[in-house]
């Protein structure tokens, strides 16, 4: 099949000497796209001798792979002609019906028609941002917020304004003030992006009372809420709280995902939106990808149908609870005085605040040399804050590795504090790595 | 797990009486997003009693499903922990290595590092457009061109300028003139989008001589070429021609897909780009979806490894050849005098030009009532042309159904011509359906 008699052409008349011949041709929106210096560090962090507390990958080793393989085999044999074909730009109807059932666990009542399946909930957020945001629009986000979301908002040339949080979640008074003052200054505030459950990166959960207050503020100020909820069912204590969407169906766009409750590799998430918004989301998705992965939807639906998926979540909870508890134990044992951290009741992350004078960004190369990695807090802010913070993940390493990781981290911190006391200043405080693109996706 | 003691909130203070409370909040880029009136017709066209010659769905019934199911089962059992996990934002290395081998069939030499795997080649085009195009930029396309691509360019608020084609492909003189005059008028021309092999919708293939001329024009005028090649291996006569990318590696961005040579439901395509462009594409994809479907990449790679994929393409070719030949037979038998059509040597589509006075858009409802569907030519133009054309697909119906379809179509055309002669005009010529979003993805 190779082409015989290949065509040979004369040398091009002009030889471009620029390193990148297209340097003047890129769209404006790409000017913020830079490869993060942290990327190089994180490829080192992925070496087996490094304990990585930087990642966000769920531990899927407990999935019933043998039984799943039989179900998937049957799928290919019996439904392969549909499962391997083009599908609906809105997502397969049966997939959306299953999503209705999954969301009911968090009190959401919805109709399958109002759901748009996407290539992961990351794409759901991308579609929502694409439908609503013009360059220069403002998106409100918690302080701090998920690095992948900040990247998406930047990709659409939005301005991100952070709103204060405390241990009960976003501060509704600060939110209202922010909306009022931004609009008074003539800015268009398109929506608030919030992760109410076991937030990435802080692990903080919005209390029920705060949810109620947040909805009231949103109603009073005519503010749209985008609720991102990948971890809601991964409670490690108590029961899931009611989703914001269950408190207000008109004002909340809800993003969901199977990545943490089942597995990420199928790239299936969804958005639940009011009808008119949903129409635009479907058209936008069709222009972007034609349709979300069809085969993946068949697999996930078969899994939900044939397996005790709620029971599997219980298995995950027990596993993550042990890891979280190991993290707590390790932090108590190994963190220097003056270090504080959040106490998440679910999810994957603990948010650490370092003693004054330390800089988690500057410290990262030394930590990786000491064979432990974390995600510096600055990755989760659009405004340069976060240098006293670290996000520590307990989802992927074993409990033993987690404790070893905190031990190594403690040693690094002790060394940093020593330098601080000896020299009286943080030698790296003027040098900052570019974290604007955040870590690689497998550790978002 | 359901939340007990559900929180109840007071009624919202203001009740929005607009049908769409967000009508003023959408981004500018959505203003062109409308649900095509043709959509409704196409859902009718999908009923079994209608012979649909409108679609673009490959016929995948010949895939070896039983054997494939065993391979996929082994994949889940033995590699499930990797296959169901988050993956690389650039696509898995082994997938990219396979793509290098597949592209070699069309004389392309590439390195796996220069490939970005995407959620279908539709997303590959979306990413390229996103990286290069600002609102108001000009994209050049053949006249006519693929409806899904036009939708993508519109989604980024580009202006589409069509360039004339003939039976050998795009006219390089017309292309050069277009570039020169657009730039003289101060417009930024970002790239030419071309489908050189068995073009969707015309079925026309760019001759080797035209490819050479096209590259020369591109070099002389510093024009970037985006080469979209989903059908190149589906030759029904002769061998594949050398890809444009094989004639110039610096100036051509190449889009490929497994949708037609394997199956569409996995949503795996790719873009082969110069290095600096590739960096931006990866970052853009990570912001959009984190990573392309990982499980799908494992399945496709396993397929390429364990099956005679070239032999399968031969099987597809024979099947599509029989269908194309049935289309030719049916057209010769049933089209009224004055109808002409292209003679594709591969791919899925025949492009029909109707006798003067007929309007394929206006005629479509009557055709569907007569239980035959096609895609009106106007879907494939950004500038309103195409009302005398129809795209007929021979990929999905059986040869018998195809002939039946042409019979029904012939009857409809005969009726239209009759009306024309009797009344002396086309009664529908003033009424046009909105095809700007084109048909649904499964019939693109």
């Amino acid at each position: 099949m190779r082409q015989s008699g290949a065509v040979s052409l004369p040398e091009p008349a002009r030889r471009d000497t620029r390193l990148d011949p297209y340097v003047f041709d890129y769209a404006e929106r790409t000017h913020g796209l830079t490869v993060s210096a942290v990327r190089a560090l994180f490829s080192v962090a992925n070496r087996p001798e490094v304990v990585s507390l930087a990642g966000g990958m769920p531990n899927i080793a407990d999935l019933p792979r043998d039984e799943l393989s039989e179900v998937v085999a049957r799928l290919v044999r019996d439904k392969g002609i549909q499962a391997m074909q083009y599908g609906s730009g809105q997502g397969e109807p049966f997939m959306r019906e299953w999503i209705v059932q999954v969301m009911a666990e968090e009190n959401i009542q919805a109709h399958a028609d109002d759901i748009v399946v996407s290539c992961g909930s990351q794409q759901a957020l991308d579609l929502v941002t694409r439908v609503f945001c013009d360059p220069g629009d403002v998106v409100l986000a918690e302080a701090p917020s998920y690095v992948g979301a900040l990247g998406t908002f930047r990709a659409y040339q939005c301005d991100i304004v952070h709103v204060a949080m405390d241990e009960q979640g976003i501060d509704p008074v600060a939110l209202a003030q922010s909306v009022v003052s931004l609009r008074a200054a003539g800015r268009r505030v398109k929506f608030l992006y919030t992760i109410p459950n076991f937030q990435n990166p802080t692990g903080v959960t919005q209390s029920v009372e705060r949810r109620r207050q947040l909805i009231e503020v949103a109603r009073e100020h005519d503010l749209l809420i985008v609720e991102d909820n990948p971890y809601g069912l991964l409670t490690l204590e108590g029961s899931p709280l009611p989703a914001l969407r269950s408190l207000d169906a008109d004002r909340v766009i809800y993003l969901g995902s199977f990545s943490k409750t089942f597995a990420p590799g199928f790239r299936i998430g969804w958005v639940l939106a009011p009808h008119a918004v949903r129409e635009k989301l479907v058209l936008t998705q069709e222009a972007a990808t034609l349709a979300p992965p069809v085969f993946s939807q068949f697999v996930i639906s078969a899994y939900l149908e044939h397996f005790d998926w709620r029971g599997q979540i219980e298995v995950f909870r027990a596993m993550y609870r042990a890891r979280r508890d190991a993290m707590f134990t390790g932090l108590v044992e190994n963190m220097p005085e003056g270090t504080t951290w959040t106490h998440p009741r679910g999810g994957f992350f603990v948010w650490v605040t370092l003693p004054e004078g330390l800089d988690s960004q500057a410290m990262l190369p030394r930590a990786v040399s000491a064979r432990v990695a974390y995600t510096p807090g600055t990755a989760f802010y659009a405004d340069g804050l976060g240098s006293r913070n670290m996000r520590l993940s307990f989802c992927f390493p074993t409990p033993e590795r987690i404790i070893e990781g905190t031990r190594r981290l403690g040693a690094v911190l002790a060394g940093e504090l020593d330098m601080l006391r000896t020299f009286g200043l943080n030698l790296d405080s003027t040098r900052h790595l570019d974290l604007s693109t955040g870590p690689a996706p497998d550790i978002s």
Side-chain angles (χ1 to χ4, degrees), chain A:
Chain A
M1 283 167 64
R2 277 189 175 69
Q3 176 65 22
S4 62
V7 177
S8 66
L9 292 170
E11 282 291 303
R14 288 197 310 262
R15 188 170 288 286
D16 199 303
T17 56
R18 291 170 297 186
L19 278 176
D20 177 4
Y22 301 109
V23 65
F24 298 121
D25 300 318
Y26 298 118
E28 276 197 39
R29 70 178 71 81
T30 64
H31 294 165
L33 284 184
T34 48
V35 181
S36 163
V38 175
R39 286 289 175 87
L41 278 171
F42 282 132
S43 26
V44 174
N46 284 334
R47 290 187 192 156
E49 64 269 24
V50 175
V51 176
S52 178
L53 304 176
M57 298 205 303
N59 170 29
I60 58 171
D62 298 334
L63 286 175
R65 285 196 308 282
D66 288 345
E67 296 89 334
L68 201 51
S69 75
E70 286 171 25
V71 165
V72 177
R74 267 206 315 274
L75 182 68
V76 173
R77 264 197 327 265
D78 303 341
K79 294 189 186 176
I81 289 188
Q82 298 84 26
M84 298 190 288
Q85 184 54 273
Y86 281 118
S88 158
Q90 188 180 349
E92 302 306 302
F94 54 81
M95 181 78 265
R96 293 185 273 113
E97 293 287 354
W98 274 114
I99 289 168
V100 168
Q101 292 204 38
V102 171
M103 291 194 296
E105 298 290 312
E106 289 171 89
N107 224 33
I108 295 171
Q109 291 177 16
H111 194 283
D113 283 353
D114 295 328
I115 295 165
V116 180
V117 180
S118 53
C119 190
S121 61
Q122 180 71 27
Q123 197 204 6
L125 181 61
D126 183 83
L127 295 174
V128 170
T129 309
R130 194 152 146 170
V131 164
F132 278 98
C133 295
D134 283 311
D137 284 351
V138 171
V139 171
L140 299 170
E142 289 143 343
S145 185
Y146 166 49
V147 55
L150 301 183
T152 295
F153 304 144
R154 280 193 200 96
Y156 288 98
Q157 302 165 274
C158 299
D159 285 333
I160 299 159
V161 173
H162 287 285
V163 179
M165 285 176 77
D166 59 30
E167 66 286 349
Q168 298 219 41
I170 193 172
D171 178 344
V173 174
L175 173 66
Q177 284 172 345
S178 200
V179 174
V180 168
S181 62
L182 284 162
R183 285 179 178 160
R187 304 302 302 277
R188 280 184 314 186
V189 179
K190 282 295 167 75
F191 54 78
L192 164 71
Y193 170 77
T194 174
I195 308 167
N197 294 311
F198 322 123
Q199 198 228 27
N200 178 354
T202 63
V204 166
T205 294
Q206 237 173 59
S207 66
V208 174
E209 176 61 18
R210 281 285 170 89
R211 294 172 195 231
R212 199 180 71 79
Q213 291 168 347
L214 174 54
I215 296 288
E216 291 212 24
V217 167
R219 284 173 178 173
E220 183 174 346
H221 296 278
D222 200 19
L223 178 68
L224 177 63
I225 295 173
V226 177
E227 173 181 24
D228 194 358
N229 188 26
Y231 309 103
L233 292 176
L234 292 179
T235 48
L236 308 182
E237 295 165 19
S239 301
L241 300 184
L244 289 168
R245 171 53 169 73
S246 72
L247 304 179
D248 189 319
D250 298 318
R251 192 166 290 288
V252 177
I253 292 176
Y254 179 92
L255 311 181
S257 171
F258 286 110
S259 292
K260 280 55 168 198
T261 51
F262 176 49
F266 298 98
R267 309 310 299 118
I268 293 293
W270 69 89
V271 47
L272 170 64
H275 186 88
V277 179
R278 187 263 289 167
E279 286 280 333
K280 289 178 170 28
L281 290 169
V282 174
L283 292 171
T284 303
Q285 172 155 257
E286 287 172 349
T289 58
L290 293 188
V294 181
F295 191 78
S296 293
Q297 293 175 70
F298 274 79
V299 173
I300 294 182
S301 300
Y303 167 73
L304 295 170
E305 180 180 355
H306 295 289
F307 290 81
D308 177 13
W309 58 272
R310 293 178 180 87
Q312 183 67 50
I313 289 175
E314 287 287 350
V315 170
F316 285 150
R317 287 170 171 167
M319 179 266 298
Y320 289 129
R321 189 179 302 119
R323 294 175 183 214
R324 179 203 61 168
D325 293 350
M327 175 68 81
F328 286 163
T329 299
L331 291 174
V332 166
E333 275 175 17
N334 295 300
M335 290 298 103
E337 197 167 319
T339 313
T340 60
W341 53 89
T342 57
H343 293 79
R345 297 202 299 278
F348 288 178
F349 308 110
V350 173
W351 182 250
V352 174
T353 303
L354 297 173
E356 194 165 350
L358 294 188
D359 181 334
S360 64
Q361 257 202 116
M363 219 174 73
L364 183 59
R366 290 189 284 283
V368 173
S369 298
R371 297 171 304 134
V372 62
Y374 54 84
T375 311
T378 38
F380 305 96
Y381 285 90
D383 54 13
L385 295 184
S387 55
R388 264 183 75 182
N389 303 105
M390 302 183 301
R391 184 194 75 175
L392 300 181
S393 314
F394 52 82
C395 44
F396 201 69
T398 62
E400 297 72 30
R401 290 286 280 175
I402 287 169
I403 290 184
E404 174 60 20
T406 58
R407 198 195 59 74
R408 293 180 191 179
L409 193 53
V412 172
L413 290 172
E416 297 286 310
L417 283 168
D418 220 32
M419 270 220 312
L420 194 63
R421 282 182 217 111
T422 305
F423 294 100
L425 55 90
N426 181 345
L427 294 172
D428 299 281
S429 60
T430 54
R431 199 162 45 80
H432 284 281
L433 299 168
D434 174 16
L435 286 172
S436 57
T437 54
D442 58 325
I443 51 175
S444 291

